[in-house]
Amino acid sequence: MHAFSQSTSSTTTAVAVPPALSLPVIEAVFPRQLHPYWPKLQEKTRTWLLEKRLMPADKVEEYADGLCYTDLMAGYYIGAPDEVMQAIADYSAWFFVWDDRHDRDVIHGRADAWRRLRSQLHAALDSPRNHLHHQDPLVAGFADSMVRLYSFLSTKWNQRFALHFHAVIEAYDREFRNRAAGTVPTVDEYLELRRLTFAHWIWTDLLEPAAGCELPAAVRNHPAYRKAALLSQEFAAWYNDLCSLPKEIAGDEVHNLGISLIHHEGLTLEEAVSEVRRRVEECITEFLVTEKAVLRLAETLADGTVRGKECSVAVKACLSNMRNWYSSVYWFHHESGRYRVDSWDDRSTPPYVNNEAAGEK
């Protein structure tokens, strides 16, 4: 089917959404928005990827815009100051490049290279200024992102973000070991791991600098707020699994909800796709209920004080962007060249990957 996505592409106004991946409720109830800074964002992130040597010039020229990394973030963090939006977009682009490096290290059995990178990222996370000129562009680019992201809110927020990302790095290490051993995690093991490798709490943390307000722990940990945040991220992770299943089967991946369901629950491919889709749809239904509870929370925070009003406004902004995540993720998967496996010469090797920079000769 064709769905009008209000595409950010300069040449495409509609994309074809396969029936198995179509979610009419997203198209009807979650209107797509885009940060007005997006055109400049795309240009600056493209330049940043070149300056930090994260992708070679020919790959940037041919693939960067079509991968739609900036589109994804510009559809999520609406209302963020331009400087915050740029830092988040650059960090997101870095994250995709890191994910590709991790994949290549697994594919080529580079356990020592991965362990070294893992250690360097942990160190750069704790002291980014000391790693701005690291010889590995991936470490230096990460450090640059952290210096910028750490500049917006308090030291306490920085420590929370670092704690969450240390856990993400370790989760990627568990993925490396699983893939090296050919171990398919059980469904429960996978769901726990996926919340970390998809960086659920990182993207949720970044809602706060986008809103210009650090939320109190009591608000962040409120059951309704936490559930809404989790649902938006689970939707994204599981919809990604639904869309990337062909790519990951082609690449001998073991981390996909569909793959765990097939391997451990005895489902056929068709049954697994149906089950992942059911979970995706459940995330949408539950979010529509939960967002009402978060709005009620926001109203109770407006207690007549300046701080109460600030928190109330920030919670509404964060909730609005959780909602934006649904449409941004949905259209990203149908516009980004990252998922067009059938058009690749080698279904297991993305054409935008820079093998040499990842250590391959």
Side-chain angles (χ1 to χ4, degrees):
M1 65 179 290
H2 284 277
F4 288 92
S5 65
Q6 300 170 355
S7 171
T8 51
S9 166
S10 60
T11 58
T12 306
T13 56
V15 292
V17 179
L21 303 177
S22 174
L23 296 171
V25 65
I26 295 293
E27 299 171 27
V29 183
F30 293 80
R32 188 177 192 182
Q33 298 189 67
L34 194 66
H35 198 291
Y37 183 66
W38 173 76
K40 182 63 71 174
L41 186 74
Q42 185 184 55
E43 176 187 332
K44 288 194 171 184
T45 294
R46 193 189 312 123
T47 300
W48 185 78
L49 287 168
L50 284 170
E51 288 178 347
K52 298 302 174 184
R53 296 180 293 120
L54 291 167
M55 290 176 71
D58 61 331
K59 300 285 187 185
V60 171
E61 176 66 26
E62 188 170 357
Y63 297 109
D65 290 355
L67 289 169
C68 299
Y69 296 159
T70 55
D71 308 44
L72 177 64
M73 292 296 112
Y76 185 17
Y77 296 100
I78 306 298
D82 292 353
E83 183 184 17
V84 174
M85 187 72 258
Q86 188 66 62
I88 292 174
D90 290 350
Y91 166 72
S92 171
W94 173 87
F95 201 115
F96 281 110
V97 174
W98 176 48
D99 186 73
D100 292 333
R101 168 81 72 88
H102 176 265
D103 178 67
R104 295 295 96 189
D105 280 349
V106 172
I107 293 292
H108 293 275
R110 295 195 299 258
D112 289 344
W114 164 250
R115 281 194 292 269
R116 184 165 55 251
L117 177 60
R118 168 193 170 204
S119 176
Q120 291 164 346
L121 292 178
H122 277 305
L125 185 57
D126 289 333
S127 56
R129 291 190 183 278
N130 294 336
H131 294 78
L132 289 172
H133 304 290
H134 195 280
Q135 62 182 2
D136 186 336
L138 201 66
V139 177
F142 178 64
D144 180 78
S145 289
M146 290 305 99
V147 167
R148 292 154 67 196
L149 291 176
Y150 285 167
S151 71
F152 300 124
L153 296 177
S154 74
T155 300
K156 198 169 182 180
W157 183 92
N158 296 349
Q159 291 170 343
R160 183 190 353 138
F161 185 95
L163 183 68
H164 287 158
F165 202 75
H166 280 304
V168 171
I169 296 168
E170 286 306 292
Y172 264 71
D173 184 57
R174 291 203 296 279
E175 277 208 353
F176 188 99
R177 286 183 277 117
N178 282 347
R179 290 182 66 186
T183 301
V184 178
T186 66
V187 172
D188 286 344
E189 289 170 344
Y190 173 73
L191 295 178
E192 180 183 355
L193 185 61
R194 185 62 161 150
R195 286 173 184 150
L196 294 171
T197 57
F198 198 83
H200 283 21
W201 302 116
I202 294 300
W203 307 119
T204 301
D205 286 338
L206 289 169
L207 291 168
E208 294 169 66
C213 179
E214 189 170 339
L215 295 175
V219 173
R220 289 186 284 104
N221 295 325
H222 187 281
Y225 184 90
R226 193 167 178 84
K227 183 177 182 180
L230 182 60
L231 285 168
S232 72
Q233 293 297 321
E234 299 278 59
F235 164 81
W238 298 344
Y239 192 68
N240 175 270
D241 280 3
L242 194 63
C243 294
S244 63
L245 188 56
K247 168 187 172 184
E248 293 182 343
I249 288 176
D252 293 325
E253 249 286 11
V254 296
H255 297 101
N256 185 293
L257 179 54
I259 292 172
S260 287
L261 287 165
I262 292 167
H263 191 83
H264 290 287
E265 306 293 331
L267 272 60
T268 65
L269 175 60
E270 293 75 15
E271 289 168 341
V273 167
S274 294
E275 174 59 17
V276 176
R277 184 183 173 96
R278 183 193 68 77
R279 292 177 184 238
V280 164
E281 291 173 338
E282 192 173 74
C283 285
I284 301 169
T285 303
E286 289 191 23
F287 180 84
L288 292 171
V289 173
T290 305
E291 71 173 338
K292 296 175 183 176
V294 180
L295 287 171
R296 289 194 294 272
L297 167 65
E299 293 303 326
T300 66
L301 292 171
D303 57 3
T305 66
V306 172
R307 176 58 175 161
K309 178 66 173 177
E310 181 185 47
C311 281
S312 176
V313 170
V315 166
K316 289 178 181 177
C318 291
L319 177 64
S320 177
N321 280 336
M322 291 176 199
R323 167 178 264 275
N324 286 333
W325 193 224
Y326 283 83
S327 58
S328 191
V329 163
Y330 181 72
W331 292 115
F332 169 71
H333 281 86
H334 302 298
E335 293 174 354
S336 174
R338 195 171 177 87
Y339 303 99
R340 294 180 189 150
V341 182
D342 291 337
S343 68
W344 301 353
D345 292 336
D346 176 354
R347 287 169 61 88
S348 66
T349 304
Y352 48 82
V353 168
N354 174 29
N355 289 334
E356 186 174 342
E360 298 176 19
K361 301 295 183 184

